[in-house]
Amino acid sequence: MIPTHREDIDWLRAIAVLAVTGFHFEAPGIFGGFVGVDIFFVISGYLITGIITAEIATGRFSFARFYERRVRRLLPALYGMVALTAVPASWDMLSSERAAFFRAVAAVVTFTSNVFFWQQSGYFDHAAVEKPLLHTWSLAVEEQFYLVLPVVVWAALRIAHGRLALPLTLALLAAGSFVLGLVLMRNGASAAAFFLSPPRAWEFLLGSLVAASSLPQPRPGVAQRSARALGLVLMAVPILSLRPGPGFPGVNALAPCLGAALFLWSGTGVANVPRSRLSPLNVAAFFGRISYSLYLWHWPLFAFARFAKPGLVLDGWERAALFVVTVAVAALSWRLVEQPFRNRQLVATPCAAFGLAAAASLLLLAGSAVGVLRASAVSDADRAAQQLDAYNDYDMKPVYRYGTCFTTPDGRVPEDCLRPVAGKTNVLLWGDSFAAHYYHGLEAQLDPDMVNIMQASQPTCMPTFSAETQGVAACRAFAGQMRDTLAQMRPDLVVMSADWLEDARPPRFAGMVRDLEQTLQRLNEAGIAVVLLGPSLQFRARLPSMLARARLRGVTPDPAAFVRSDIFALDAAMQAALPTTKGFSYVSILSAVCQDGACPLTAGEVPLSFDHAHLTAEGSVHVMAKVAPLILPRVTPLSSRQDADDRAHQAGGEGARDD
């Protein structure tokens, strides 16, 4: 039963909305802020179930009144955001994006945006930041839940008798929903488990169980504070540490949801306390009160702010300033839109509320149809930008030899990828995807009659023998296979490459260097020459998207605004830290490819990479045309290295280092 307003629920709302906003605004340390949505789901289930059961108990429940309150609570602010967002969407997006935007408007109005975005792509997908209405998926899930929950609660209380009828019903439904989510994820349908209502219902029902189970109130004092503290910890750990990916929701959603449920239970029966206006808890309560409007506005403002930047990336101070603007917009939305409709200052009667909602829905649907039709007119700038944007869906599998020499289920590559050829110089390309993306270009540069290229690459797996340092089971298996293979096989050259920027992420740089040194020593002791390719060229966002935005605006792309600056510092640090031993060469990709600090963005008319760093086929050929001459002198047995060393210095210039 939820008889009065509870300030602690505003605090919980603040935690949820600030977690989501921090995650989307890329605040430091908020790696798993997306779980704020799950916290919102628990709060919604708790509040709605408490209100329904309280009204049924007193004989005041009415389906019409319940849905009128939902209409007043959700639609005015939502529809206002959608209508205003349509203004910049009409001129600041590609024609294909505008068409998708206005189709999303129709999905929002019909409470099906979760299904719409599920059919398009995953929430964490690359295109997420180019969909200003993507965040409305969670509102559709809530709206669908609100259509079903009142009927379930009413039926359980009316048909079944006994104090445990409703809690048992809710518990069985929650268990079924949770199991459904696990089954979907196990069968490769993580996106369905993320977006659809049935596998998400258990989160709402967890809150419903707290409201309906008549649990005893926590004892004031140590017990109550301990329960609250535990709830905060259960939410804080995933907010600060969980990483986005296909392993969510499922088991990974349990901690934040249980934490929210425990927090709600710990506040049962606790009276509100008067506080000063500047009290931290009052500030938290303010964010809780505006949380709905803050959630509505934060994502479209962030999306369009990114579109205004040539590199599609906001700097730290820009994100901070945008957060302040977003809070101001949310506060205005709460004061001028949410409150008047909820307090009946505007549209006082139920008939007027439903009538206005229907009229606004029809108007938005009509606007959606017009927007889709107008988006069918494609300008020359649009057409050129779309050709670039199409590379966001680039098929890298044949170029990277996906499923064979790159990305296998158990981490071990087939023997065909590691088979030397007698009478040829055998070169082994070893590493993660940043090794695989060089294969095509290297193959184009080397004479197949003279050189045999072997490939061993697995996603996220650093090319070292130190299996115990690999955090992924597939990487441990991969490291073990390479240790065994190179103990038996003697390639003429091993070329190592990886996402060094990720592997060296603080505080891992020293450990990365140590692992590489140990592996290099073992290879050199076995008489195997090694070339290590330095950090790959990396961009601040997806390169095709950045190039498409520049083309749409008629702006000449600026490499300095597109390329990540930290790769140059890492390149210098790696050159300084790695050993200066015979049999080992460090080749700087950046020195070879970027002339006078100006790095290439395209290979002809094709983007150099199809995402933030991974090369297209044309990009691989372009890069290896610069880098292969620095590797070619190494394609000799270690016993014949002295002459090759001299040639490398002449060919490589500042792009290669061989001490």
Side-chain angles (χ1 to χ4, degrees), residues 56 150-162 164-167 169-170:
I56 289 177
V151 178
V152 171
V153 174
W154 180 86
L157 293 176
R158 291 285 184 177
I159 298 173
H161 298 286
L164 297 179
L166 180 59
T169 300
L170 297 175

Side-chain angles (χ1 to χ4, degrees), residues 61-68 147 149-152 154-155 354:
F61 177 73
S62 160
F63 284 103
R65 187 163 55 249
F66 172 83
Y67 290 118
E68 181 201 354
L147 291 174
L149 181 66
V151 178
V152 171
W154 180 86
F354 286 121

Side-chain angles (χ1 to χ4, degrees), residues 590-602:
L590 303 179
S591 296
V593 173
C594 302
Q595 302 300 321
D596 299 323
C599 300
L601 303 178
T602 61

Side-chain angles (χ1 to χ4, degrees), residues 180-202:
L180 174 62
L182 295 180
V183 170
L184 288 172
M185 294 175 68
R186 180 168 295 180
N187 291 325
S190 294
F194 188 97
F195 280 108
L196 301 185
S197 296
R200 283 285 196 165
W202 68 270

